[in-house]
């Protein structure tokens, strides 16, 4: 069963929850759920065990909240790229891949993407963690599909395009960039990957056909 803990007695100490949660997010991001210990968490978060249990309840609940915190931030730059005013669909996805290269190599965060690699290998009793990550990854692909369908409606994408297939392709590229970043690839290399991937974008001639 997933770890559950009794709440400590007493009222939790006052602390900056967003900052503490960000520290937990970075630790989970760097080490994974199973690779992060309780002792590492309270040390990194600079809180006592009783404050931890009173404020977050369990390691699993903290992990879920930390993942939500990551996704809120990720959706900001993803949606920012996809909804840029006046951008064609091609321009939006070009910007998205450029943003991914930038975000995956930030110096103030672990490299890559917290969600792209998390939960791909889990013990049987941690399947809820895996399922959560699968849902997050699927939701990201839906955003891409919706943007391509918007391009079809607005006429800058051919109506014969396989929107789901193209979205899945771009999603795979982004996840691959996250792996590359995790392995130490430079931002320049990730940008090159993005440019090459966009060469597979439907040609302008097909739009006029």
């Amino acid at each position: 069963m997933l770890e559950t803990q009794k709440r400590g007695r007493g009222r939790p100490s006052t602390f900056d929850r967003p900052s503490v949660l960000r520290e937990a997010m970075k630790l989970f991001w760097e080490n994974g759920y199973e690779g992060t210990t309780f002792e590492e968490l309270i040390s990194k978060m600079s809180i006592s065990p009783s404050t931890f249990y009173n404020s977050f309840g369990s390691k699993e609940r903290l992990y879920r909240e930390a993942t939500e915190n990551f996704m809120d931030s990720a959706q900001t730059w993803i949606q920012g790229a996809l909804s840029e005013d006046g951008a064609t669909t091609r321009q939006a996805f070009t910007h998205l891949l450029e943003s991914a290269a930038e975000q995956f190599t930030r110096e103030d965060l672990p490299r890559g993407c917290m969600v792209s690699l998390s939960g791909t290998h889990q013990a049987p009793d941690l399947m809820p963690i895996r399922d959560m990550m699968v849902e997050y990854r699927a939701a990201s692909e839906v955003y891409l599909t919706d943007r391509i369908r918007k391009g079809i409606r607005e006429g800058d994408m051919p109506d014969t395009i396989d929107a789901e297939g193209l979205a899945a392709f771009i999603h795979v590229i982004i996840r691959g960039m996250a792996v590359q970043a995790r392995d130490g690839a430079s931002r320049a290399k990730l940008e090159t990957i993005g440019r090459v991937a966009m060469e597979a974008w439907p040609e302008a001639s097909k739009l006029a056909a």
Side-chain angles (χ1 to χ4, degrees), residues 105 111 178-187 189:
T105 55
R111 295 176 70 88
V179 174
Q180 288 278 324
R182 188 69 176 177
D183 286 347
S186 67
R187 181 175 300 181
K189 181 175 182 178

Side-chain angles (χ1 to χ4, degrees), residues 21-175:
L21 190 61
R22 181 177 173 84
E23 291 304 315
M25 178 195 74
K26 290 193 292 185
L27 194 59
F28 282 129
W29 186 343
E30 187 68 42
N31 299 334
Y33 180 82
E34 293 179 281
T36 301
T37 67
F38 174 74
E39 290 72 21
E40 288 171 331
L41 283 168
I42 61 175
S43 175
K44 190 71 172 179
M45 298 164 75
S46 299
I47 59 177
S48 67
S50 61
T51 297
F52 178 93
Y53 293 129
N54 278 308
S55 301
F56 301 103
S58 70
K59 178 182 172 183
E60 181 202 349
R61 286 174 57 186
L62 172 62
Y63 185 75
R64 289 180 177 276
E65 188 170 345
T67 304
E68 290 173 1
N69 187 63
F70 170 83
M71 287 301 298
D72 287 344
S73 177
Q75 287 173 1
T76 298
W77 64 263
I78 292 171
Q79 294 289 9
L82 295 180
S83 60
E84 185 177 2
D85 289 342
T88 65
T89 306
R90 184 189 182 100
Q91 290 169 338
F93 276 83
T94 297
H95 187 195
L96 176 65
L97 293 175
E98 292 171 346
S99 296
E102 177 183 356
Q103 293 295 324
F104 293 167
T105 55
R106 287 176 54 170
E107 294 184 357
D108 61 328
L109 292 172
R111 295 176 70 88
C113 170
M114 181 180 179
V115 169
S116 289
L117 302 179
S118 298
T120 53
H121 294 87
Q122 294 286 11
D125 60 341
L126 294 177
M127 289 304 290
I129 294 294
R130 177 187 179 280
D131 292 343
M132 176 180 68
M133 291 303 184
V134 169
E135 290 177 2
Y136 277 131
R137 288 190 284 266
S140 296
E141 194 168 307
V142 169
Y143 300 148
L144 308 186
T145 303
D146 288 346
R147 180 61 183 87
I148 293 169
R149 287 175 175 159
K150 178 176 181 290
I152 294 172
R153 292 194 301 271
E154 295 179 349
D156 71 8
M157 292 291 290
D159 58 12
T160 56
I161 196 70
D162 180 352
E164 292 183 354
L166 183 56
F169 168 72
I170 296 295
H171 193 229
V172 167
I173 295 298
I174 292 173
R175 290 188 64 186

